[in-house]
Amino acid sequence: MSSVNKGVGKVEVRLKWDPSPWSRPPHHLDLVATTHSVDAPYGPPVYVVHHDSRSPDGTINMPRHSETGLGFGYVEVMVLELDRLAASFARVAVGVAIQQNGDGPKTFGDLTNAGVLVVDGYQKLLEDDFARLAGSTAMTVAEFIRDVSGAWEFREMVRGFDTDPVAFTAEMGNARPA
């Protein structure tokens, strides 16, 4: 990354999936972000952001949330204003978890027309349809790392997990780059 490049700034993570058939319980996916401190970039998260929360300083929030996938295009959106995030943070991990409703495990292979898109303004950073992780119930999609100059760098981090959403939030940020 050159000194002229300011890195990524305000990023959107968008999620889409088709609703389940009318006779089945709804597919409910959630975007999740974990923030990690300079002192422990791969340690426990300082805080977790998901559909029921936002970051304490408002730099990570969810202006759009869906519990069914019903709608056109990307029905769930998380906004990360990395350029406003405090200097005490070194890393943010972002993932997707499928809510499990007791009707047997739901995996990404059970979904249709599903996908995630990560953009910085008009620049597409990542687009994935979950096909390579069809047997997973949760996955990380991206991480953002603060470099020595203070600029944020995007890294693709598509990794599958076979866990429930609560355990996933504890595990997802511990994944180190391959």
Side-chain angles (χ1 to χ4, degrees):
M1 195 178 281
S2 74
S3 61
V4 176
N5 189 340
K6 296 179 183 177
V8 294
K10 185 175 182 179
V11 176
E12 281 191 11
V13 181
R14 303 172 184 164
L15 186 59
K16 69 176 182 172
W17 70 97
D18 282 345
S20 60
W22 70 270
S23 62
R24 307 283 304 152
H27 298 307
H28 180 183
L29 280 65
D30 282 319
L31 287 167
V32 181
T34 57
T35 58
H36 302 272
S37 72
V38 170
D39 297 331
Y42 293 93
V46 174
Y47 57 80
V48 178
V49 178
H50 51 79
H51 69 90
D52 281 338
S53 66
R54 68 177 187 94
S55 63
D57 60 4
T59 57
I60 304 173
N61 64 73
M62 295 207 39
R64 194 175 322 154
H65 173 68
S66 174
E67 294 185 4
T68 62
L70 189 61
F72 296 106
Y74 293 93
V75 296
E76 186 153 311
V77 175
M78 178 178 279
V79 177
L80 300 94
E81 294 181 71
L82 298 167
D83 50 354
R84 290 186 41 229
L85 200 59
S88 60
F89 295 101
R91 185 168 165 267
V92 177
V94 179
V96 178
I98 302 172
Q99 294 290 334
Q100 303 298 319
N101 63 11
D103 191 33
K106 288 185 183 179
T107 66
F108 291 107
D110 296 326
L111 307 172
T112 56
N113 196 32
V116 64
L117 177 67
V118 180
V119 295
D120 180 17
Y122 294 105
Q123 181 182 7
K124 186 185 306 182
L125 302 175
L126 169 75
E127 188 170 27
D128 192 90
D129 65 1
F130 308 136
R132 59 184 151 167
L133 297 174
S136 298
T137 60
M139 67 185 291
T140 54
V141 294
E143 69 178 347
F144 300 92
I145 306 286
R146 192 185 302 259
D147 69 17
V148 293
S149 73
W152 287 93
E153 176 184 321
F154 164 81
R155 293 185 185 162
E156 181 178 322
M157 190 171 75
V158 178
R159 293 191 178 103
F161 292 77
D162 185 19
T163 187
D164 67 81
V166 174
F168 174 61
T169 61
E171 296 172 11
M172 68 182 268
N174 298 334
R176 292 187 179 267

